Amino acid sequence: MFVIRHSPSGTYDNNYSNQIDIYHGLRDQKQIPFGQGWGFGPVNPVLYNEWPDHDLRKKGSIYNVNDETEGVTGYEWGGDMMWQETGFWEKKYMPINVEDENGEIVNYNVVLYNSLQIFSVNNSQDIVLICFADVLLMHSELTKITEGINRVRVRAKLDPIASYSEEALQQERRFELAFENVRYYDLLRWYGKEAGVVLKKNMSGAKI
């Protein structure tokens, strides 16, 4: 519904590119489909392990370097300055690579828009500020009914829930909006001063 737009015409001299992607890219690695970045912000294994495997959003949101079905080979563990590496990386804000006509691995904007091949300024994905699913889940949280939650779950090909609960709402927001920069504020809203305690219990230096 509301996004920050970016351009494939990014350079070192302007702010047109999506810099969030760079933080989450793989440090010193050129892969397909996930591109090169600075290796910050790996996913906390707590989130990966607690996310049900039958939920399609899990694989759609998290890159597991040990999952052969991801189609990525040659992942290098322990790269220079790879921060708090867990083997799990979020997909929503990752540089995206393709192969060009010469067989070179390049950012997709190089092929689509003839952008310069500079990994730190190539990315142009929108940064989502608020999406319709967030609105639906806010509606359920305010009204204490299942309508909003179930509309989100149906889109994700999950069975609807029969009755509203705070736990169900919180889990739905955790999974549906993972890596969209709302989790911290959700915890503050739900737990207030205790949010810091909740964060410390879940943190291993990575995202929860």
Side-chain angles (χ1 to χ4, degrees):
M1 295 180 65
F2 296 99
V3 301
I4 298 174
R5 304 302 302 272
H6 293 88
S7 168
S9 302
T11 70
Y12 288 125
D13 299 320
N14 62 44
N15 294 316
Y16 296 164
S17 63
N18 181 338
Q19 292 296 293
I20 299 297
D21 283 8
I22 296 303
Y23 282 93
H24 299 157
L26 306 178
R27 184 86 184 191
D28 297 328
Q29 299 188 49
K30 294 180 68 175
Q31 302 270 1
I32 292 178
F34 304 116
Q36 185 177 357
W38 293 337
F40 295 0
V43 175
N44 193 323
V46 171
L47 172 60
Y48 185 86
N49 293 331
E50 292 183 356
W51 199 330
D53 289 336
H54 69 270
D55 188 336
L56 298 175
R57 295 171 299 186
K58 178 177 182 178
K59 192 163 186 176
S61 300
I62 299 177
Y63 164 41
N64 177 1
V65 302
N66 294 313
D67 185 349
E68 295 181 356
T69 66
E70 292 280 6
V72 179
T73 59
Y75 179 84
E76 298 178 11
W77 283 83
D80 180 41
M81 296 180 67
M82 190 80 89
W83 294 90
Q84 300 165 320
E85 194 169 10
T86 64
F88 303 113
W89 300 91
E90 61 91 4
K91 293 179 177 178
K92 291 185 178 180
Y93 292 114
M94 280 276 274
I96 303 298
N97 279 348
V98 296
E99 191 174 282
D100 69 10
E101 59 184 9
N102 298 316
E104 296 291 327
I105 297 176
V106 298
N107 187 278
Y108 75 102
N109 281 318
V110 174
V111 173
L112 288 179
Y113 304 110
N114 200 32
S115 301
L116 297 174
Q117 176 53 36
I118 306 174
F119 80 91
S120 59
V121 298
N122 278 150
N123 302 291
S124 63
Q125 291 100 313
D126 295 341
I127 294 178
V128 176
L129 299 181
I130 183 169
C131 62
F132 186 50
D134 193 356
V135 175
L136 291 173
L137 294 175
M138 285 191 284
H139 181 269
S140 277
E141 186 171 357
L142 290 168
T143 60
K144 312 300 183 186
I145 62 177
T146 62
E147 181 182 354
I149 295 176
N150 284 337
R151 287 184 66 180
V152 171
R153 290 179 63 83
V154 167
R155 183 198 52 78
K157 301 186 184 304
L158 295 171
D159 293 334
I161 61 173
S163 60
Y164 177 88
S165 71
E166 294 293 336
E167 181 180 3
L169 180 279
Q170 291 173 4
Q171 285 294 82
E172 205 63 41
R173 288 188 65 83
R174 184 187 188 193
F175 299 143
E176 174 65 27
L177 304 175
F179 318 120
E180 295 184 20
N181 303 305
V182 299
R183 177 69 171 165
Y184 175 74
Y185 300 101
D186 279 350
L187 293 175
L188 285 180
R189 184 173 72 260
W190 296 327
Y191 299 105
K193 293 181 179 179
E194 298 300 315
V197 176
V198 175
L199 284 167
K200 287 179 181 179
K201 287 182 179 178
N202 285 279
M203 286 186 71
S204 63
K207 293 186 176 181
I208 63 174

